[in-house]
C-alpha cells in the first residue's frame, strides 16, 4: 500500500480509449496535468478546452459538449489533440 500523498502509476493497459478534457483556464486543475496524464495512459485521448473555469463540460462550450457527448453516448472517440473551441 502506498503512503498517503503518493500517486500510483496507472497506464490503463487494455482499456478502451480514455477521454481527458483539460482546460487552459482551470483555476483548480492545472492544464499541464492533462497532457501528462494522457502521456501516462496507453489509451488516453486529449481534448483541450481553451476557456476559463473548472468543469469544461458545464462551461456552455458547444464543442466540448459535442465531443464529450459523442464519446459518452455514442462511443465516438475524438481525435487526440482536439481543441475547443475550434479555431
Amino acid at each position: 500500500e502506498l503512503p498517503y500523498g503518493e500517486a500510483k502509476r496507472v497506464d490503463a493497459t487494455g482499456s478502451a480509449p480514455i477521454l481527458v478534457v483539460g482546460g487552459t483556464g482551470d483555476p483548480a486543475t492545472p492544464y499541464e496535468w492533462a497532457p501528462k496524464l494522457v502521456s501516462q495512459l496507453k489509451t488516453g485521448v486529449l481534448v483541450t478546452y481553451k476557456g476559463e473555469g473548472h468543469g469544461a463540460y458545464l462551461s456552455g462550450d458547444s464543442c466540448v459538449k459535442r465531443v464529450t457527448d459523442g464519446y459518452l453516448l455514442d462511443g465516438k472517440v475524438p481525435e487526440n489533440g482536439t481543441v475547443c473551441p475550434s479555431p
Side-chain angles (χ1 to χ4, degrees), residues 8-82:
K8 180 178 177 184
R9 182 170 174 83
V10 177
D11 67 15
T13 298
S15 75
I18 299 171
L19 179 65
V20 177
V21 180
T24 59
D26 187 332
T29 310
Y31 174 75
E32 300 79 40
W33 293 359
K36 286 180 183 177
L37 175 60
V38 169
S39 73
Q40 291 177 358
L41 297 171
K42 295 200 183 298
T43 62
V45 176
L46 177 63
V47 171
T48 299
Y49 166 56
K50 289 194 171 188
E52 300 298 317
H54 183 66
Y57 183 76
L58 298 177
S59 70
D61 182 78
S62 62
C63 174
V64 171
K65 183 166 177 32
R66 178 179 35 78
V67 168
T68 304
D69 285 353
Y71 173 79
L72 294 174
L73 301 175
D74 302 322
K76 183 179 177 189
V77 180
E79 184 177 333
N80 189 37
T82 296

